[in-house]
Amino acid sequence: MTPQQIVGLASRLFAIWMGVSAIQAVSIALALKAGTNNPDAVWVPYIIGGLYLLVGLLCWFFPMAIAHRLIPRTRFDDALQLPARQAMVVACVALGLLVIAFKAVGPVLGYLSICVLWIANGQTLWTLDAIRHIDGWIGIGQLALGVLLVGKAHAVSARLLPLEAKPHAALADTD
């Protein structure tokens, strides 16, 4: 892989991150909409989610254009000696660990601790504020995404970086 291809790969992984952030921003907007009577108070998270989605789509569809802007063009024989599939697996595991560490652990532990305190005070979980449940489920979803990226890194990398098609045997035998 060339340095530009590695940055292009990182751009695609960043696009996935931006997609997760867009979903979170829209979830916050939906929670705000459900919790307020003022319709003017909910448009900001939708705009932020839209911007995240726009940046994510740009990074997904134009990774090499971004890579060539960030790293000057080199000859193709300036390749780094790292197999692409192994680099993708490592990157998926790293992204999954980052999602777990920075996005999921805090909300999940916060939600679980509030649930424990709520139950210890003799309350049912159904009387807990809806925003607490939403935050907890967002954290659980992010935890699931992180575990998926870590646990199924080979499958995710195969989906993001398919193998090149091999020539047919019938075509190879012709003289």
Side-chain angles (χ1 to χ4, degrees), residues 8-9 11-16 53-64 66 88 156 159-161:
L9 174 63
S11 177
R12 284 252 169 119
L13 292 173
F14 183 70
I16 294 170
L53 187 61
L54 177 67
V55 170
L57 288 173
L58 288 173
C59 288
W60 184 262
F61 288 114
F62 304 107
M64 294 311 293
I66 293 168
M88 178 61 89
V156 173
R159 182 81 171 154
L160 293 176
L161 190 66

Side-chain angles (χ1 to χ4, degrees), residues 22-101:
I23 292 170
Q24 183 178 9
V26 170
S27 299
I28 290 170
L30 292 174
L32 285 174
K33 185 177 182 180
T36 184
N37 292 334
N38 185 359
D40 296 331
V42 297
W43 61 272
V44 173
Y46 284 118
I47 290 175
I48 292 171
L51 289 174
Y52 284 155
L53 187 61
L54 177 67
V55 170
L57 288 173
L58 288 173
C59 288
W60 184 262
F61 288 114
F62 304 107
M64 294 311 293
I66 293 168
H68 289 302
R69 292 271 180 168
L70 294 175
I71 296 178
R73 291 180 186 247
T74 58
R75 296 184 320 270
F76 192 71
D77 45 335
D78 289 344
L80 300 174
Q81 299 301 321
L82 180 66
R85 184 61 59 110
Q86 290 177 354
M88 178 61 89
V89 170
V90 169
C92 286
V93 169
L95 179 63
L97 292 173
L98 287 172
V99 168
I100 291 169

Side-chain angles (χ1 to χ4, degrees), residues 103-137:
K103 288 289 203 174
V105 171
V108 169
L109 291 179
Y111 177 67
L112 292 176
S113 63
I114 287 173
C115 288
V116 168
L117 289 173
W118 205 258
I119 292 171
N121 287 332
Q123 302 287 330
T124 63
L125 289 180
W126 300 113
T127 59
L128 190 63
D129 293 336
I131 192 71
R132 301 283 185 177
H133 289 296
I134 291 170
D135 287 342
W137 283 107

Side-chain angles (χ1 to χ4, degrees), residues 96-97 99-100 104 140-153:
L97 292 173
V99 168
I100 291 169
I140 291 169
Q142 290 169 341
L143 181 64
L145 176 66
V147 169
L148 175 79
L149 283 171
V150 171
K152 298 288 185 179

